[in-house]
Amino acid sequence: MKIKSIAVITVVLVGISCSTTISTANKEYKITKVSRFKSDWVFNAKEWLLHKDTLIGNGGPMHWGVIESKKQLPKNYEIDFKVNMTKESLFEIMLNIDKEKYIRTYLYQIDQNIVIGQGVYSKNSDEYGKRGGPTLFKKPLKLENNKWYSVKIRVANNQLYFSVNNETFLECSIEKSKLSQQGKLGFLTNGEAKIIDLTIKTIE
């Protein structure tokens, strides 16, 4: 019986370690070590780095700094973190990245809105039309540089919830809005952005 029990536990652990989702055995993922950060994400070291507990991104108006997870997001998930746009105007959470398409959920200082939109991003081109995409939903929010914002993303049963500081909310049906239903996670900035307390959690 002991041998059988050990075998079962081993199979479960192997299944978890080979999981294609970004969650862990505890159904929660956090960036805590530089070594794990490097193995779990695709990025240009000149654009994104992990300094102590802070994820720092650097981009520019003509070339956005992008980081992308290597693993798929679960079907239903929740993402929590705090972000500070220290330079420029755009910070974006790229959801369900599938090839060059994704869901845009972002904070945009020029328009003073949080936004949900259709996204496209070509890794090999900064041409207009090969990055960004149309706005589908937006809500006013005063946004400033050098200020921390709490962001929560929740995707459950094809419904997307996006909130900032637990006071400004956007919601939409992923299927009805014809948005990407499955894929990876990414972050994008056209200046400098700092992220702390990032947690990605699988939900039932």
Side-chain angles (χ1 to χ4, degrees):
M1 288 297 290
K2 287 184 178 179
I3 293 173
K4 286 184 179 179
S5 298
I6 292 169
V8 169
I9 291 169
T10 302
V11 169
V12 170
L13 290 174
V14 168
I16 289 167
S17 65
C18 296
S19 172
T20 58
T21 66
I22 204 166
S23 56
T24 67
N26 297 323
K27 297 187 178 181
E28 189 171 276
Y29 172 88
K30 295 181 180 181
I31 296 177
T32 54
K33 296 181 180 179
V34 172
S35 59
R36 185 167 180 188
F37 167 64
K38 290 180 177 179
S39 65
D40 287 348
W41 300 81
V42 178
F43 60 97
N44 182 329
K46 293 180 179 179
E47 297 176 357
W48 285 89
L49 61 93
L50 181 64
H51 179 66
K52 295 183 179 178
D53 295 327
T54 304
L55 183 57
I56 304 170
N58 286 281
M62 301 307 295
H63 178 76
W64 295 348
V66 174
I67 184 172
E68 182 180 327
S69 65
K70 291 183 180 178
K71 295 183 179 182
Q72 297 274 329
L73 284 163
K75 184 176 180 180
N76 296 311
Y77 56 86
E78 194 169 87
I79 302 169
D80 286 278
F81 62 92
K82 293 183 179 71
V83 63
N84 187 338
M85 294 178 285
T86 51
K87 294 179 183 177
E88 297 300 336
S89 59
L90 175 69
F91 172 76
E92 185 170 303
I93 309 104
M94 306 166 76
L95 301 174
N96 296 354
I97 302 169
D98 183 13
K99 296 178 182 176
E100 293 185 351
K101 294 184 178 180
Y102 65 96
I103 303 172
R104 302 185 79 194
T105 48
Y106 61 101
L107 287 69
Y108 193 33
Q109 285 192 54
I110 291 176
D111 284 350
Q112 293 289 295
N113 283 313
I114 64 169
V115 181
I116 294 175
Q118 294 176 337
V120 61
Y121 185 79
S122 173
K123 297 177 183 178
N124 301 315
S125 177
D126 289 319
E127 291 179 37
Y128 181 79
K130 293 188 177 181
R131 59 179 187 174
T135 295
L136 299 179
F137 307 95
K138 63 182 180 179
K139 188 165 284 188
L141 177 66
K142 184 179 179 181
L143 296 164
E144 304 172 39
N145 288 119
N146 298 305
K147 183 175 180 179
W148 288 99
Y149 296 92
S150 297
V151 175
K152 181 185 287 289
I153 303 283
R154 181 182 174 90
V155 172
N157 302 316
N158 266 323
Q159 198 74 9
L160 168 62
Y161 306 85
F162 174 30
S163 72
V164 178
N165 291 343
N166 291 316
E167 60 184 28
T168 304
F169 302 86
L170 283 175
E171 180 180 348
C172 74
S173 167
I174 292 175
E175 189 173 7
K176 289 179 181 178
S177 301
K178 297 181 180 179
L179 295 169
S180 178
Q181 295 188 34
Q182 193 172 2
K184 300 176 182 180
L185 170 68
F187 297 107
L188 177 157
T189 178
N190 72 347
E192 181 185 76
K194 296 181 179 180
I195 300 170
I196 60 172
D197 300 336
L198 172 64
T199 302
I200 304 157
K201 182 168 59 177
T202 302
I203 56 177
E204 300 298 333

